[in-house]
């Protein structure tokens, strides 16, 4: 992602910084500032990069100034939304970081049932703003993730089966392009750009504002149900068959995990490796118990926490378990089916979780997400039924070799069963072939749109699409 010809300066002269300061309202943070080390940190502590300058924007004009400055000076440019990206694509070594974390405004339009979200918001901001109005925007499974990166890559979450991916609920974006112009992209305006940002990542510009359709979601019936590890294959087979046929009101993602030693869990289960499904039922609450009967009956759960829960609480259930600052190594693939042979391999590698935070998730992406045609958005794998992510996670960098090896081995064992590519938001920086595999037939069209809007590849610190 950092090709030759781009200035990767590690320090910038005070005169150059002053040049930007003259047209900038937010904070400009250099390596000489006390705030620098905190400002360059991203969620994944495996990433340790040192930009020459961090431009924490106060408004859209600041974003325009930052983009123009990077282009004019030939600087490597990274754009930071929530900073959650696995390979740390919100920060760069040398060059400029446009940091959107101060752009946090949200406006809910009750009449239109739409939600206008600034480019630096986190999903917790959105849930907080929409819940009092009985609305939610389909997002992910954790509230600390940035709206920017998650949306631009696709957005797989609790509401995907019912309302589609996050991009399927996107009505428009304001984007600062590589030439410094601010444009709107929607079905009616710059439709090619609107197609590309719905899955194509940060390749096309800095999105300063997202307009989403809000969905009627308030209190749902959900939470995790756990089963013993030795029952994982049986649970996965049940879950696979159930979720492929279940009403779209029901979502549930499968995981291998280790029970954290905290009071909400009985002490005898602490630090046990288990499997679980975290459910979210958005149908009539009066019918929830009935809907969950088959889930509770096929095999006795070890622990059962499913019940009525406000959607923002469900969304933030795992925030505490995964604070910023852990080491993360990600591998991803999509699957059209989950054969019994694949399930047996999951059992084998799930039993080998290398650390208590490490995990494997399988998310269903059938239902509404699967009804969108492959060419309708840049997100390509509409024919897949499941998205797999294997993540090795631990607080201690000394564990990295172990958790990286496990994640690679697990992914490699299952890859022959996959649809051939993975979700761009859940992989490391794995090179051009992996990006092409993620977009399949949509790659060539993305490369054309890239040539039109960013011919010089200014926005290259991302899962990069080369201009055609
Ligand atoms: C704990 C955890 C849970 C997750 N859960 C889910 C999940 O449930 N579902 C899911 O789909 N994904 C999930 N993800 C993956 C997540 O979607 C990606 O990590 C995503 O890149 C995070 O976006 P961000 O804005 O926080 O990241 P950043 O690191 O800030 O940015 C990621 C990329 O997006 C670009 N970008 C960010 N904002 C903008 C913007 N406004 N304009 C232009 N480009 C921008 C950046 O330049 C960078 O290339 C999860 C990640 C973590 C760490």
């Amino acid at each position: 992602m950092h090709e030759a010809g781009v200035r990767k300066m590690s320090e910038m002269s005070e005169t150059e910084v002053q040049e930007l300061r003259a047209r900038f309202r937010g904070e400009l943070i250099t390596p000489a500032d006390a705030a620098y080390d905190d400002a360059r940190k991203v969620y994944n502590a495996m990433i340790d990069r040192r930009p020459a300058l961090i431009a924490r924007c106060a408004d859209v004009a600041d974003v325009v100034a930052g983009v123009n400055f990077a282009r004019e000076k030939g600087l490597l440019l990274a754009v930071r939304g929530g900073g959650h990206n696995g390979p740390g694509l919100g920060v760069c070594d040398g060059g400029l970081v446009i940091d959107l974390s101060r752009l946090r405004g949200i406006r809910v339009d009750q009449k239109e049932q739409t939600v206008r979200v600034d480019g630096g918001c986190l999903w917790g901001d959105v849930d907080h703003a929409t819940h009092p109005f009985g609305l939610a925007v389909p997002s992910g499974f954790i509230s600390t993730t940035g709206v920017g990166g998650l949306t631009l890559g696709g957005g797989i979450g609790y509401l995907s089966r019912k309302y589609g991916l996050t991009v399927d609920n996107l009505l428009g974006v304001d984007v600062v392009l590589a030439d410094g112009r601010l444009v709107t992209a929607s079905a009616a305006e710059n439709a090619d750009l609107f197609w590309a940002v719905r899955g194509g990542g940060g390749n096309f510009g800095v999105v300063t504002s997202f307009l989403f359709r809000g969905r009627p979601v308030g209190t749902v019936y959900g939470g995790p149900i756990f089963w013993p590890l030795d029952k994982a294959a049986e649970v996965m087979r049940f879950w696979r068959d159930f979720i492929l046929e279940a009403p779209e009101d029901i979502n549930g993602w499968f995981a291998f995990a280790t029970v954290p030693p905290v009071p909400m869990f009985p002490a005898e289960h602490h630090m046990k490796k288990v499997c679980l499904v975290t459910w979210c039922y958005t149908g009539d609450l009066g019918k929830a118990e009935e809907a969950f009967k088959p889930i509770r009956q096929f095999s006795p759960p070890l622990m059962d926490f499913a019940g009525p829960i406000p959607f923002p609480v469900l969304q933030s259930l795992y925030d505490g378990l995964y604070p910023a600052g852990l080491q993360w190594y990600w591998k991803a693939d999509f699957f059209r089916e989950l054969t019994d042979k694949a399930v047996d391999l999951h059992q084998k590698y799930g039993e080998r979780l290398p650390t208590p935070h490490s995990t494997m998730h399988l998310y269903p992406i059938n239902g509404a997400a699967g009804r969108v045609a492959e060419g309708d958005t840049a997100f390509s794998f509409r024919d897949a039924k499941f998205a797999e992510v294997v993540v090795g996670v631990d607080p201690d960098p000394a564990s990295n070799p172990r958790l990286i090896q496990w994640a690679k081995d697990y992914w490699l064992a299952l890859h022959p069963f996959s649809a051939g590519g993975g979700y761009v938001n859940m992989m490391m920086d794995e090179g051009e072939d992996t990006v092409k595999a993620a977009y399949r037939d949509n790659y060539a069209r993305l490369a054309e749109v890239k040539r039109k809007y960013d011919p010089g590849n200014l926005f290259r610190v991302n899962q990069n699409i080369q201009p055609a």
Side-chain angles (χ1 to χ4, degrees):
M1 77 188 169
H2 306 161
E3 293 97 272
V6 177
R7 271 172 87 201
K8 260 185 66 184
M9 50 174 14
S10 56
E11 302 242 334
M12 218 171 271
S13 74
E14 189 46 34
T15 322
E16 281 185 298
V17 177
Q18 283 304 342
E19 243 181 83
L20 181 57
R21 213 181 286 279
R23 35 180 165 146
F24 201 82
R25 268 205 162 186
E27 294 159 81
L28 290 178
I29 304 165
T30 73
D33 291 311
Y36 177 76
D37 273 327
D38 259 352
R40 70 184 181 86
K41 263 187 208 149
V42 288
Y43 181 83
N44 182 0
M46 211 179 266
I47 310 299
D48 180 21
R49 302 209 178 106
R50 307 185 67 84
L53 183 62
I54 299 167
R56 197 167 272 165
C57 301
D59 56 18
V60 175
D62 275 357
V63 177
V64 172
V67 167
N68 285 336
F69 184 74
R71 190 191 60 252
E72 287 158 10
K73 302 284 175 195
L75 294 172
L76 183 65
L77 172 64
V79 178
R80 180 195 176 113
H84 256 219
N85 187 263
L89 297 172
V91 65
C92 54
D93 259 333
L96 175 71
V97 172
I98 291 187
D99 178 336
L100 303 174
S101 60
R102 280 178 59 178
L103 302 185
R104 296 286 269 277
I106 296 176
R107 182 174 188 275
V108 179
D109 185 327
Q110 291 186 77
K111 194 160 141 266
E112 297 294 329
Q113 303 269 288
T114 58
V115 188
R116 167 72 68 191
V117 179
D118 281 355
C121 285
L122 307 183
W123 282 108
D125 302 331
V126 180
D127 294 332
H128 177 77
T130 56
H131 189 64
F133 305 104
L135 293 175
V137 176
S139 55
F141 302 94
I142 204 153
S143 85
T144 53
T145 308
V147 171
L150 181 137
T151 301
L152 295 170
I156 298 171
Y158 283 115
L159 303 176
S160 299
R161 294 189 75 238
K162 171 101 173 177
Y163 294 119
L165 303 178
T166 306
V167 286
D168 303 330
N169 296 274
L170 187 61
L171 299 172
V173 285
D174 289 350
V175 194
V176 177
L177 300 175
D179 62 9
R181 279 182 302 139
L182 176 75
V183 299
T184 294
S186 66
E189 236 178 310
N190 298 307
D192 53 352
L193 181 59
F194 185 52
W195 174 83
V197 296
R198 284 177 292 159
N203 271 284
F204 306 94
V206 186
V207 176
T208 53
S209 177
F210 295 86
L211 182 65
F212 292 106
R213 179 172 303 295
R215 299 295 188 173
V217 178
T219 292
V220 301
Y221 189 99
I225 299 184
F226 295 78
W227 288 269
L229 184 66
D230 60 6
K231 293 271 193 268
E234 184 193 338
V235 174
M236 193 181 274
R237 281 188 195 102
F238 165 82
W239 167 81
R240 169 195 68 193
D241 298 341
F242 178 82
I243 209 70
L244 287 175
E245 298 300 328
E248 289 172 13
D249 281 333
I250 301 187
N251 202 317
W253 49 279
F254 181 98
F256 285 111
T258 305
V259 179
V262 295
M264 84 173 263
F265 301 108
E268 74 260 29
H269 297 319
H270 287 180
M271 299 309 280
K272 252 188 206 165
K273 288 178 188 173
V274 288
C275 71
L276 64 144
V277 177
T278 307
W279 302 95
C280 174
Y281 168 77
T282 47
D284 178 352
L285 282 182
K287 296 184 177 155
E289 297 286 343
E290 190 60 31
F292 274 65
K293 257 191 193 152
I295 299 168
R296 291 181 161 127
Q297 281 173 356
F298 85 92
S299 175
L302 192 65
M303 293 178 281
D304 183 345
F305 293 97
I309 182 169
F311 187 67
V313 178
L314 181 62
Q315 282 271 91
S316 50
L317 219 51
Y318 297 114
D319 291 5
L321 186 60
Y322 290 111
L326 304 176
Q327 311 282 315
W328 287 72
Y329 189 84
W330 298 71
K331 291 294 288 179
D333 252 332
F334 289 112
F335 290 79
R336 287 194 194 90
E337 57 175 355
L338 209 50
T339 62
D340 286 346
K341 180 82 203 311
V343 170
D344 291 342
L345 286 166
H346 275 293
Q347 173 87 50
K348 176 175 163 188
Y349 286 92
E351 285 174 3
R352 298 181 185 173
L353 290 178
T355 60
H357 285 87
S358 294
T359 185
M360 189 288 303
H361 297 171
L362 276 172
Y363 307 118
I365 50 168
N366 60 336
R371 276 197 296 278
V372 177
E374 260 165 61
D376 283 0
T377 62
F379 182 97
S380 152
F381 274 94
R382 299 292 186 168
D383 54 334
K385 301 282 185 270
F386 305 100
E388 173 202 88
V389 61
V390 185
V391 266
V393 190
D394 198 59
D396 184 358
S399 307
N400 288 352
R402 216 155 45 88
L403 57 85
I404 291 172
Q405 196 57 53
W406 169 79
K408 285 183 173 170
D409 291 347
Y410 195 150
W411 178 86
L412 210 57
L414 269 301
H415 185 64
F417 300 87
S418 78
Y423 178 34
V424 285
N425 272 349
M426 295 188 175
M427 54 178 61
M428 299 305 279
D429 194 357
E430 300 175 32
E432 198 180 350
D433 287 347
T434 311
V435 178
K436 283 185 171 162
Y439 291 114
R440 303 190 290 186
D441 291 350
N442 286 344
Y443 189 88
R445 187 169 163 198
L446 279 164
E448 286 296 339
V449 181
K450 178 79 172 172
R451 180 172 63 173
K452 179 170 168 192
Y453 291 96
D454 183 18
N457 207 3
L458 180 67
F459 300 106
R460 69 179 68 215
V461 182
N462 44 42
Q463 299 292 354
N464 196 229
I465 291 156
Q466 300 284 322

